[in-house]
Amino acid sequence: MKKINSIFVIDDDDICQYIAVSIIEHSELVKHTKVFNNGKEAIIYLENNCQILENIPEIILLDLTMPVMDGWEFIENYIKLKPRIGKKVYIYIISSSINPYDFERAKNISEVSDYIVKPLTLEGFTELVKFITK
C-alpha cells in the first residue's frame, strides 16, 4: 500500500494521542506525524505553512472536545483557510461522542471525510489510508 507523507493528530488527551500515534507508527503507512493539543495550535501552523505543500498533511484526525479551540471551531477556521491550501486534506473527526447531533453536523460539512468513534484501531486506520491512496 502507498505511504502518505504526513498526518496531524489534533487532540488534547495524552492517552488518545499516544494510541493514535502508536497505531500510525505501527501501520508504517505515514512518514511524518505531527500532534497538536488543540485546534488553535493546528490552525496557526497551517496559516504559517499553507504555501509549503510538504508541510500540509494529507490527513487530519480531529477531536471535537478540546480547550482553547475545539474541533468545530477548527473546522470553521479551516474552511476560511482552505482556499490558500494547495492540496486536498482529508479531515476525519475522531471523537468519543456518540451524540446523533454530532454525527449529523459532521455529515453536513463537506470538508469532513468521516466520523470515527474512539478508539482508533489499526484496521480502521489502514482502511482509511487505503481509501485515500487508491
Coordinates of all heavy atoms in Angstrom, one line a residue, residues 3 10 16-17 20 22 30-32 36-37 40 46 50 60 62 66 75 81 95 98 101 106 108 113 116 120 122 124:
K3 N 2.4 4.8 0.9 CA 2.5 5.6 2.1 C 2.0 7.0 1.8 O 2.1 7.5 0.7 CB 4.0 5.7 2.5 CG 4.5 4.5 3.3 CD 5.8 4.8 3.9 CE 6.3 3.7 4.8 NZ 7.5 4.0 5.5
I10 N -5.0 16.0 16.2 CA -5.4 17.2 17.0 C -6.3 16.7 18.1 O -7.4 16.4 17.8 CB -6.1 18.3 16.1 CG1 -5.2 18.6 14.9 CG2 -6.4 19.5 16.9 CD1 -5.9 19.5 13.8
C16 N -5.2 9.4 24.3 CA -5.7 9.3 22.9 C -4.6 9.7 21.9 O -4.5 9.0 20.8 CB -6.9 10.2 22.7 SG -8.4 9.6 23.6
Q17 N -3.8 10.7 22.2 CA -2.7 11.0 21.3 C -1.7 9.8 21.2 O -1.3 9.4 20.1 CB -1.9 12.2 21.9 CG -2.5 13.5 21.8 CD -1.7 14.6 22.4 OE1 -0.6 14.4 23.0 NE2 -2.2 15.8 22.4
A20 N -3.3 7.0 19.1 CA -3.3 7.3 17.7 C -1.9 7.3 17.1 O -1.7 6.7 16.0 CB -3.9 8.7 17.5
S22 N 0.7 5.6 18.2 CA 1.2 4.3 18.1 C 0.6 3.5 17.0 O 1.3 2.7 16.3 CB 0.8 3.6 19.5 OG 1.5 4.1 20.5
V30 N 2.7 6.1 7.2 CA 2.8 7.5 7.3 C 4.3 7.9 7.6 O 4.9 7.3 8.5 CB 1.9 8.1 8.4 CG1 2.0 9.6 8.4 CG2 0.4 7.7 8.1
K31 N 4.8 8.8 6.8 CA 6.2 9.2 7.0 C 6.4 10.1 8.2 O 7.3 10.0 9.0 CB 6.8 9.9 5.8 CG 6.9 9.0 4.6 CD 7.4 9.7 3.4 CE 7.3 8.8 2.1 NZ 7.6 9.6 0.9
H32 N 5.4 11.1 8.4 CA 5.5 12.1 9.5 C 4.2 12.3 10.2 O 3.2 12.4 9.5 CB 6.0 13.5 8.9 CG 7.2 13.4 8.1 ND1 8.5 13.2 8.6 CD2 7.4 13.4 6.7 CE1 9.4 13.2 7.7 NE2 8.8 13.3 6.5
F36 N -1.0 18.1 17.8 CA -1.4 19.4 18.4 C -2.4 19.1 19.5 O -3.2 18.2 19.4 CB -2.1 20.2 17.3 CG -1.2 20.5 16.1 CD1 -1.2 19.7 15.0 CD2 -0.3 21.6 16.1 CE1 -0.4 20.0 13.9 CE2 0.5 21.9 15.0 CZ 0.5 21.1 13.9
N37 N -2.3 20.0 20.5 CA -3.1 19.8 21.7 C -4.5 20.5 21.6 O -5.3 20.3 22.5 CB -2.4 20.3 23.0 CG -1.3 19.4 23.4 OD1 -1.4 18.2 23.4 ND2 -0.1 20.0 23.6
K40 N -6.4 25.5 17.8 CA -5.7 26.8 17.6 C -4.3 26.6 17.2 O -3.8 27.2 16.3 CB -5.9 27.7 18.8 CG -5.3 29.1 18.5 CD -5.6 30.1 19.6 CE -5.0 31.4 19.3 NZ -6.0 32.4 19.2
L46 N -1.0 25.7 10.2 CA -1.5 25.7 8.8 C -1.4 27.1 8.2 O -1.0 27.2 7.0 CB -2.9 25.2 8.7 CG -3.0 23.7 9.0 CD1 -4.5 23.3 9.1 CD2 -2.4 22.9 7.9
C50 N 0.8 27.3 4.9 CA -0.1 26.9 3.8 C 0.5 27.0 2.4 O 0.0 26.3 1.5 CB -1.4 27.7 3.9 SG -1.3 29.4 3.7
I60 N -6.0 14.7 8.6 CA -6.1 15.3 9.9 C -7.1 14.5 10.7 O -8.2 14.2 10.3 CB -6.6 16.8 9.9 CG1 -5.6 17.7 9.2 CG2 -6.9 17.3 11.3 CD1 -6.1 19.1 9.0
L62 N -9.1 14.7 14.0 CA -9.6 15.8 14.7 C -10.5 15.4 15.8 O -11.6 14.9 15.6 CB -10.3 16.8 13.8 CG -10.9 18.1 14.4 CD1 -9.8 19.0 15.0 CD2 -11.7 18.8 13.3
M66 N -12.0 20.0 23.0 CA -10.7 20.4 23.4 C -10.8 21.8 23.9 O -11.7 22.6 23.6 CB -9.7 20.5 22.2 CG -9.5 19.1 21.5 SD -8.4 19.3 20.1 CE -9.6 20.0 18.9
I75 N -12.7 23.5 12.4 CA -13.3 23.3 11.0 C -13.7 24.6 10.4 O -13.4 24.9 9.3 CB -14.4 22.3 11.0 CG1 -13.9 20.9 11.3 CG2 -15.2 22.3 9.7 CD1 -14.9 19.8 11.6
L81 N -9.5 29.1 5.6 CA -8.1 28.9 5.2 C -7.9 28.1 4.0 O -7.0 28.2 3.2 CB -7.2 28.4 6.4 CG -5.8 28.2 6.2 CD1 -5.1 29.5 5.9 CD2 -5.2 27.5 7.4
S95 N -13.8 11.0 17.7 CA -14.3 11.5 18.9 C -14.9 10.4 19.8 O -15.3 9.4 19.2 CB -15.4 12.6 18.6 OG -16.0 13.0 19.8
I98 N -21.0 10.0 20.9 CA -21.9 9.2 20.1 C -23.2 9.9 19.9 O -24.2 9.3 19.6 CB -22.1 7.8 20.6 CG1 -22.6 7.8 22.1 CG2 -20.8 7.0 20.5 CD1 -23.0 6.5 22.6
Y101 N -26.5 14.3 17.1 CA -26.3 15.6 16.6 C -24.9 15.8 16.0 O -24.8 16.5 15.0 CB -26.6 16.7 17.8 CG -26.3 18.1 17.4 CD1 -27.1 18.8 16.5 CD2 -25.1 18.7 17.8 CE1 -26.8 20.1 16.1 CE2 -24.8 20.0 17.4 CZ -25.7 20.7 16.6 OH -25.3 22.0 16.2
A106 N -21.5 16.7 11.5 CA -20.3 16.4 10.7 C -20.6 16.0 9.3 O -19.9 16.3 8.3 CB -19.5 15.2 11.4
N108 N -22.9 17.0 7.4 CA -23.3 18.2 6.7 C -22.1 19.1 6.3 O -22.4 20.2 5.8 CB -24.4 18.9 7.4 CG -25.7 18.1 7.3 OD1 -26.0 17.5 6.3 ND2 -26.4 18.1 8.4
S113 N -14.4 14.2 6.0 CA -14.4 13.0 5.3 C -15.2 11.9 6.0 O -15.9 11.1 5.3 CB -13.0 12.5 5.0 OG -12.3 13.4 4.3
I116 N -15.3 9.0 13.1 CA -14.8 7.8 13.7 C -15.0 7.9 15.2 O -14.5 8.9 15.8 CB -13.3 7.6 13.4 CG1 -13.1 7.5 11.9 CG2 -12.8 6.3 14.1 CD1 -11.6 7.6 11.5
L120 N -9.3 4.8 17.9 CA -8.9 4.4 16.6 C -8.3 3.0 16.6 O -7.6 2.7 17.6 CB -7.8 5.4 16.2 CG -7.2 5.3 14.8 CD1 -8.2 5.6 13.7 CD2 -6.0 6.3 14.6
L122 N -6.1 -0.1 14.4 CA -5.1 -0.3 13.3 C -5.9 -0.7 12.0 O -5.6 -0.1 11.0 CB -4.1 -1.4 13.6 CG -3.1 -1.7 12.6 CD1 -2.2 -0.5 12.2 CD2 -2.1 -2.9 13.0
G124 N -9.0 0.0 11.2 CA -9.7 1.2 10.7 C -8.8 2.2 10.1 O -9.1 2.8 9.1

